[in-house]
Amino acid sequence: MRQKPALVLLTTLLLTLAAGIAAGNWKTLRNDQLHDPSNPSLRVLQDPEEALALLPPDTAGNMVNWVTALQRGIISPRSSLREDREHEILDDDVLMLDTMPLPYVRFPHRPHSEWMGCETCHEKLFVSVAGANAINMGKILDGQYCGVCHGAVAFPLTECNRCHNTDSSTVSGARPGGTLP
Amino acid sequence: MSPSARGRRIGILCAGLLPVAFAWGEYADVILNSRSEAEGVAPVIFPHWFHRIRFRCSVCHVELGIEMRVGSNSMRMDSITNGEYCGACHDGQTAWSVDNCDLCHSGRPGLATGIQGGHQTGGPGKY
């Protein structure tokens, strides 16, 4: 009988977690444990739910599919403070084959460049040479490479199969870091 | 496995889930408190999710030169007032001006500089 309280606690936690995943579960600024509820300016600031509930849903992070939101034109964030600046988009996929027992990574340039252009990543975070970036999960979990954004502002690193998305049997003759159309 | 050993294991599992079930703030809320409280104002809560609805990444992280690592930008109010960093937009025309202190300096006392997790994650390095 000694484990009964622990089981009740576990069940409660799992239900809380499930509820959090199932719905947006955005907290109000007044109850988010970050903002000072005595600050009179909170009534001016926007609660996350007011903005995020209108966007295409997802199951992690902000619970918003930011790529779809941009591609469908539901939001149209500015890409420059200058009028004359072109926003470059690259439409190919980069294959990462050194993934040990996990499926290969097929990295789509298009949604990334739609959001970020080129210079946000290149050449500071990633060198634009096939196979020249020593990426591994340890570094990503530590907030480097993909982990600069994923796990911080883009979908979190709990979503393994969104990146490890390509069965090795479906790709032949690819070289590490090579691109696919 | 003895009942007590099983109870211990379940306890450890529960402890592992705690940061996930009770994560605070909204995913990608950024807390800036390297200087704020030491200089007598509340910590800044920067809602990254709010700003990305209006601006793509390169506006702030290329054009304004804001590094993508919390705590690595030497932001001071005098540089912001002079139009750098947040001050590029928070000038009273594009967005509210910097004399609305507590719209940005809105955090509870004692918060540590960092980026918040939220659904399914505690933020960078917290899994």
Side-chain angles (χ1 to χ4, degrees):
Chain A
M1 294 304 282
R2 287 182 62 192
Q3 70 268 39
K4 220 172 183 181
L7 277 173
V8 170
L9 181 60
L10 176 65
T11 311
T12 311
L13 279 170
L14 287 175
L15 285 175
T16 310
L17 186 62
I21 293 168
N25 193 28
W26 298 284
K27 294 175 184 64
T28 62
L29 300 184
R30 208 164 282 283
N31 297 312
D32 69 358
Q33 307 296 316
L34 293 188
H35 289 86
D36 183 347
S38 69
N39 180 346
S41 291
L42 287 198
R43 64 188 161 78
V44 181
L45 299 172
Q46 189 176 40
D47 278 321
E49 182 168 9
E50 194 187 340
L52 303 179
L54 303 174
L55 302 178
D58 199 353
T59 54
N62 293 121
M63 311 301 266
V64 165
N65 188 326
W66 291 104
V67 167
T68 304
L70 186 65
Q71 287 179 341
R72 288 199 195 145
I74 298 165
I75 56 173
S76 43
R78 291 183 68 154
S79 53
S80 175
L81 294 176
R82 304 198 323 239
E83 297 295 336
D84 60 341
R85 199 182 170 104
E86 287 268 322
H87 186 88
E88 292 176 276
I89 291 168
L90 182 59
D91 191 11
D92 68 18
D93 291 350
V94 179
L95 265 183
M96 301 181 203
L97 307 177
D98 189 11
T99 52
M100 303 296 281
L102 290 175
Y104 292 160
V105 172
R106 184 173 178 146
F107 165 88
H109 252 130
R110 172 168 275 279
H112 286 87
S113 56
E114 284 170 348
W115 262 107
M116 299 191 284
C118 305
E119 290 170 75
T120 309
C121 301
H122 302 297
E123 299 292 321
K124 208 166 175 182
L125 300 181
F126 296 91
V127 189
S128 304
V129 177
N133 297 285
I135 305 169
N136 64 48
M137 272 318 296
K139 292 179 185 173
I140 294 171
L141 286 159
D142 189 40
Q144 301 175 52
Y145 295 108
C146 322
V148 170
C149 298
H150 286 286
V153 301
F155 70 71
L157 301 172
T158 44
E159 310 306 295
C160 314
N161 57 5
R162 294 198 197 179
C163 302
H164 291 276
N165 50 13
T166 302
D167 190 324
S168 58
S169 64
T170 63
V171 178
S172 61
R175 61 194 173 88
T179 56
L180 296 172
Chain B
M1 195 189 296
S2 73
S4 64
R6 187 189 295 168
R8 240 188 342 266
R9 285 200 174 187
I10 292 171
I12 290 166
L13 179 63
C14 291
L17 283 170
L18 275 173
V20 177
F22 300 108
W24 292 341
E26 178 53 30
Y27 188 71
D29 272 342
V30 180
I31 300 157
L32 304 173
N33 198 14
S34 301
R35 292 203 178 91
S36 298
E37 278 193 283
E39 300 191 4
V41 284
V44 171
I45 312 290
F46 171 81
H48 192 277
W49 53 269
F50 177 96
H51 287 80
R52 72 178 293 177
I53 292 172
R54 290 148 181 86
F55 300 98
R56 296 187 212 197
C57 317
S58 54
V59 172
C60 300
H61 296 300
V62 175
E63 294 184 354
L64 300 183
I66 299 174
E67 294 283 337
M68 294 184 284
R69 177 69 65 203
V70 181
S72 64
N73 296 284
S74 181
M75 290 183 188
R76 304 190 62 102
M77 275 317 299
D78 54 0
S79 55
I80 293 171
T81 309
N82 286 330
E84 292 178 59
Y85 300 120
C86 323
C89 296
H90 284 280
D91 57 1
Q93 294 191 330
T94 309
W96 69 57
S97 71
V98 292
D99 50 15
N100 297 286
C101 312
D102 58 5
L103 285 174
C104 301
H105 291 277
S106 58
R108 293 181 177 212
L111 293 174
T113 295
I115 190 157
Q116 277 306 111
H119 302 93
Q120 296 196 32
T121 170
K126 298 174 199 159
Y127 299 93

